[in-house]
Amino acid sequence: EKKTNIFSKITEKFTKSADVSVLSANAQKIYKIANEDFCADELVEPLGVSITEVQSAIMELELSGIVKSVPGGRYKILK
């Protein structure tokens, strides 16, 4: 059973598998274009929206359990 758990954790780490279809358009775009580890400022230009809109979408992803904040003002995609 421990081997199965380890394997599934490794698989989850390397595949994006969250259902983001219920999230806002900006949250979906962030999920698609962000690297595993990212900063909100890095997404303003590619998305063509304000930092406030990016932060709002990141908060939405956090509340959905898809993203978590990590030290240094960065975020990490969990799913």
Side-chain angles (χ1 to χ4, degrees):
E1 188 174 318
K2 286 185 179 182
K3 289 182 182 179
T4 302
N5 290 338
I6 291 170
F7 178 73
S8 63
K9 286 182 181 182
I10 291 170
T11 302
E12 285 178 24
K13 186 175 182 177
F14 292 105
T15 60
K16 289 185 175 183
S17 60
D19 179 15
V20 295
S21 64
V22 297
L23 300 176
S24 69
N26 283 338
Q28 289 180 38
K29 289 176 188 175
I30 288 172
Y31 183 74
K32 288 178 185 176
I33 68 168
N35 294 322
E36 185 178 319
D37 178 70
F38 65 94
C39 176
D41 292 338
E42 299 168 351
L43 302 174
V44 172
E45 190 175 324
L47 292 176
V49 298
S50 69
I51 188 67
T52 304
E53 291 174 285
V54 170
Q55 290 170 330
S56 177
I58 291 171
M59 178 65 70
E60 187 179 354
L61 289 164
E62 281 186 285
L63 292 173
S64 299
I66 297 169
V67 167
K68 81 171 193 173
S69 63
V70 294
R74 299 193 65 81
Y75 299 90
K76 182 174 181 166
I77 294 181
L78 301 175
K79 297 180 181 180

